Amino acid sequence: MSIEPFTIAVPQSAVDDLTDRLAKTRWPDETPGAGWSRGVPLEFLRELTTYWASSYDWRAAEARLNEFAQFTTEIDGQRIHFLHVRSDRPDALPLVLTHGYPSSFAEFSTLIGHLRQDFHVVAPSLPGFGFSTPVREPGWAMGRTARAWAELMRRLGYDRYGVHGGDIGAGVSGAVAGIDGEHVVGVHVVTDPLTAANTATFLPGMADRLDPADPADKPALDRMAAFQREGSGYLAIQNSRPQTIGYLLNDSPAGQLGWIVEKFEEWTDLPYDRDQLLTIVSLYWFTGSGVSAARYLYEQAHSSDWGAPSAVPQGFSVFGADTTVRKLLAPPAGTHWVEHDRGGHFPAMEAPQVLASDLRTFFEQVK
């Protein structure tokens, strides 16, 4: 039941080891002219790795993260790390922000600055990610995580709260609403056409909402085909052999960087901050959580625990929207729905002010 204050304090020996490993990276060759078609280009990753080793300032990033109040607690036998940033307004609504993959609580560091006047923000690290490690037993997928989040909010003394997330965080947020609907005032999620199409390739029934004969549905069908043909390799590996890829992710910082930056480059539409990305990757590296984060995807792929349906009000922010997203998601009547022309999978980093405005609008309506 205890909640303990937490401060990030990476030993200097670990920082020096990272720099040394980056300098000793054994680089592969590449197919001439391949570009991004076969993965992250060699020169792109070499340049980013050089910047990480010589120009990126982990200590400055660590200090910025430590400006947020952080804590750990044990729930269901698992250490859970979380930010708890209280608003100056006593009547502010508590709001749980849940990140996805490949990300961390640091994805929300800029967004929180736009929210803290209106919300008491709670931003946990998913089990197996960042400082919510080590994972002591199997079974940590979205349903179990949602029950942990409901217990966390109970321990913090919050009787009414909202939930928000994208990617895995969207699933966890929906599951929290199903589990703790008595206390959740609303669930808000973010998505984009690529995420919606990718999700439709493995969630039963979603793809059936598209009509191959309808030209308006062709973009989503093309995205689904491209994901199955070229984009789903990372997911197939982590859903089936997470331990095997874990040896690379835990031993090579360049490998961990390449594994994550590929998704940021593929899934973003607007520019993101390079240092913020490297802070996320550094958290994976310093906590050794690359393999346990991969195992989270394995656990979900082998779980039937997706949470229960909920009557809690729902809100969606769709970034880079087209008509196929609403058709694929088929939101119930009365769902709060906002579309933006630009943005991608990480709007908390790509468009934090826009997302903050959406969150304020939605929760003002439902709270």
Side-chain angles (χ1 to χ4, degrees):
M1 293 292 292
S2 65
I3 295 176
E4 303 294 335
F6 179 82
T7 300
I8 304 172
V10 173
Q12 186 58 42
S13 59
V15 178
D16 294 340
D17 176 67
L18 169 60
T19 304
D20 184 59
R21 286 172 180 264
L22 290 171
K24 294 179 178 178
T25 300
R26 184 183 179 198
W27 295 104
D29 63 3
E30 66 177 347
T31 303
W36 284 87
S37 65
R38 305 189 183 194
V40 182
L42 176 60
E43 286 309 309
F44 176 92
L45 195 62
R46 288 187 73 134
E47 187 278 330
L48 188 56
T49 299
T50 299
Y51 179 83
W52 191 13
S54 61
S55 300
Y56 170 76
D57 188 343
W58 164 253
R59 291 303 182 200
E62 184 180 68
R64 284 192 295 271
L65 292 177
N66 281 331
E67 291 175 0
F68 299 120
Q70 299 175 61
F71 303 87
T72 60
T73 190
E74 185 173 304
I75 302 176
D76 193 12
Q78 176 60 43
R79 168 187 161 110
I80 300 296
H81 162 265
F82 62 98
L83 307 186
H84 188 195
V85 183
R86 294 182 183 271
S87 172
D88 292 334
R89 291 175 44 196
D91 64 340
L93 179 72
L95 177 62
V96 183
L97 306 178
T98 305
H99 65 85
Y101 182 88
S103 192
S104 78
F105 72 93
E107 176 185 347
F108 302 124
S109 58
T110 303
L111 177 66
I112 290 171
H114 298 294
L115 295 177
R116 63 191 309 167
Q117 294 303 312
D118 301 289
F119 298 94
H120 300 305
V121 178
V122 178
S125 298
L126 290 167
F129 291 69
F131 299 105
S132 288
T133 48
V135 178
R136 298 186 176 93
E137 59 184 24
W140 279 99
M142 291 195 296
R144 190 172 180 181
T145 302
R147 289 187 287 276
W149 277 201
E151 170 61 16
L152 174 61
M153 296 306 280
R154 187 193 69 79
R155 290 187 189 182
L156 293 175
Y158 291 132
D159 187 59
R160 298 174 70 254
Y161 62 95
V163 290
H164 162 81
D167 191 74
I168 294 170
V172 171
S173 297
V176 173
I179 289 164
D180 200 27
E182 180 182 354
H183 300 108
V184 176
V185 302
V187 52
H188 184 275
V189 301
V190 293
T191 190
D192 60 275
L194 183 62
T195 300
N198 293 354
T199 304
T201 64
F202 60 84
L203 278 189
M206 280 188 70
D208 297 338
R209 297 166 183 162
L210 299 176
D211 181 0
D214 186 346
D217 291 349
K218 188 176 186 301
L221 292 167
D222 289 347
R223 292 185 194 104
M224 291 171 60
F227 180 71
Q228 291 176 313
R229 184 178 63 251
E230 300 172 350
S232 61
Y234 83 100
L235 194 60
I237 292 172
Q238 294 180 133
N239 284 353
S240 60
R241 297 294 185 270
Q243 191 65 29
T244 302
I245 192 64
Y247 299 112
L248 162 69
L249 301 178
N250 201 61
D251 190 60
S252 169
Q256 178 71 86
L257 175 60
W259 194 251
I260 290 178
V261 75
E262 179 186 84
K263 300 310 162 196
F264 273 79
E265 289 296 304
E266 287 182 350
W267 295 348
T268 53
D269 174 54
L270 295 170
Y272 58 86
D273 184 85
R274 179 166 61 169
D275 281 9
Q276 191 174 7
L277 166 70
L278 289 172
T279 297
I280 291 171
V281 179
S282 296
L283 287 167
Y284 275 81
W285 178 257
F286 290 132
T287 60
S289 57
V291 62
S292 53
R295 286 199 298 262
Y296 192 100
L297 301 184
Y298 177 94
E299 295 290 347
Q300 189 58 53
H302 293 79
S303 173
S304 59
D305 186 3
W306 292 74
S310 169
V312 169
Q314 298 180 52
F316 286 83
S317 289
V318 185
F319 288 83
D322 68 13
T323 59
T324 65
V325 179
R326 189 158 195 155
K327 191 169 185 178
L328 280 170
L329 296 182
T335 298
H336 181 83
W337 187 272
V338 179
E339 296 184 353
H340 302 285
D341 292 338
R342 299 293 306 276
H345 190 74
F346 301 97
M349 293 173 62
E350 298 175 74
Q353 288 181 291
V354 174
L355 178 55
S357 177
D358 286 358
L359 286 166
R360 283 191 294 268
T361 299
F362 172 68
F363 284 107
E364 185 63 35
Q365 293 175 1
V366 302
K367 72 179 182 179

